[in-house]
Amino acid sequence: MRATASVLLVQCLLAISHAWDCQEVVNIKNLMQIDAGLGQVVATDTSQIPYYLVGDEWIRLPGSLKHITVGPAGIWGINKADSIHKYVAGNWVQAAGLLKQLDAGGEQFIVGANVDDTPYCLTRSATVGYKGPGSPLPWTGLPGSVKYSSCGPFGCWAVNKNDDIYLMSLNQDCQNNGWRHIDGKLSMIEVATDGSVFGVNSAGQVYTRDGITASKPEGTGWSNVPMYMPMKHVTYDLGRLWVISNSGFTMVCTH
């Protein structure tokens, strides 16, 4: 009874969050990471079980993954050994290289970072054409040092080990103009298919970047999205903000 009352209190508090209407996702527990893009939602839980959302049902995918991403580049994942996999015809196909995090939100190219925080990019042609061992995978090293990166139509955002925030213009051939420092501090950051940017800081507070356009990809400033409890992961797509709390709740919010 006490646990039920706590859940109801959480839902009531979240429902009044500055015009964000948040509801608990009740049919899945203990998510560790979630990603949304092009109308699709994927996630992994603390047991490293990957899922794909169909309607209101979370369908278990094969394999074991600590990180999963979906976007224009397809569905990709990373296991506990940092091995990279692409979802092809209902199964995971291993790809060359080792990364601790990657993102499929770019214009059909992939970005990611390895255990040493070295960032990499995989071109559109290699990403889309990868079918399995034997397909070329020319990973391109990017400048700087980042622990988490994510791309959208107006650029790629990243954070480093000090939670500093950076923005890079990156094309389908991984050509870039280097990182540009952006004000603020975040521990993780995600870019939506429409270019929206959301992130979480070390205190578990959620922020969104205002004023992002094609002509001003850096935007104008950060706005807090009140959540009334610490969060650890966030993703956004098609008007839905998905957040995972430090205590294990998963919420979906609409504005």
Side-chain angles (χ1 to χ4, degrees):
M1 180 68 71
R2 183 174 300 173
T4 302
S6 298
V7 170
L8 291 174
L9 175 60
V10 167
Q11 292 176 326
C12 290
L13 288 173
L14 289 172
I16 59 174
S17 291
H18 263 280
W20 285 92
D21 179 18
C22 299
Q23 302 295 326
E24 184 186 3
V25 179
V26 296
N27 50 356
I28 194 164
K29 303 294 182 184
N30 301 317
L31 288 186
M32 178 171 58
Q33 178 254 334
I34 191 167
D35 194 39
L38 294 179
Q40 303 174 84
V41 183
V42 293
T44 59
D45 66 13
T46 52
S47 298
Q48 301 192 9
I49 298 172
Y51 295 92
Y52 183 94
L53 181 63
V54 178
D56 293 327
E57 184 178 359
W58 292 89
I59 306 299
R60 180 171 177 171
L61 297 176
S64 175
L65 299 173
K66 68 175 183 179
H67 187 90
I68 190 170
T69 180
V70 62
I75 301 177
W76 293 69
I78 296 173
N79 66 15
K80 63 181 180 180
D82 288 353
S83 297
I84 306 163
H85 295 77
K86 182 182 181 181
Y87 198 59
V88 178
N91 289 291
W92 294 105
V93 177
Q94 186 169 350
L98 296 172
L99 295 174
K100 66 177 181 179
Q101 180 267 335
L102 81 170
D103 183 79
E107 296 295 325
Q108 296 187 309
F109 62 86
I110 292 283
V111 295
N114 67 11
V115 68
D116 297 318
D117 289 352
T118 302
Y120 286 92
C121 173
L122 186 63
T123 65
R124 176 189 180 278
S125 59
T127 298
V128 173
Y130 187 74
K131 302 174 183 177
S135 299
L137 274 182
W139 290 103
T140 300
L142 299 176
S145 175
V146 303
K147 65 178 179 179
Y148 199 106
S149 57
S150 181
C151 297
F154 309 133
C156 296
W157 293 69
V159 294
N160 67 11
K161 65 180 181 180
N162 299 318
D163 290 354
D164 298 318
I165 306 167
Y166 294 91
L167 172 64
M168 172 187 285
S169 176
L170 190 64
N171 69 14
Q172 296 176 340
D173 295 321
C174 297
Q175 296 174 333
N176 66 88
N177 61 354
W179 296 106
R180 173 183 176 184
H181 181 251
I182 303 294
D183 63 288
K185 293 276 188 178
L186 292 173
S187 55
M188 65 82 57
I189 195 164
E190 280 287 341
V191 186
T193 309
D194 66 0
S196 301
V197 175
F198 288 83
V200 180
N201 67 13
S202 59
Q205 298 168 319
V206 177
Y207 285 86
T208 183
R209 188 73 176 178
D210 302 318
I212 293 176
T213 63
S215 60
K216 194 174 180 63
E218 73 277 14
T220 56
W222 296 102
S223 290
N224 177 243
V225 182
M227 285 291 158
Y228 298 97
M229 66 169 61
M231 298 295 167
K232 63 181 178 181
H233 203 90
V234 62
T235 187
Y236 178 85
D237 182 53
L238 297 178
R240 291 173 174 81
L241 177 66
W242 301 82
V243 289
I244 302 174
S245 75
N246 288 346
S247 55
F249 290 104
T250 299
M251 270 74 70
V252 59
C253 310
T254 54
H255 200 208

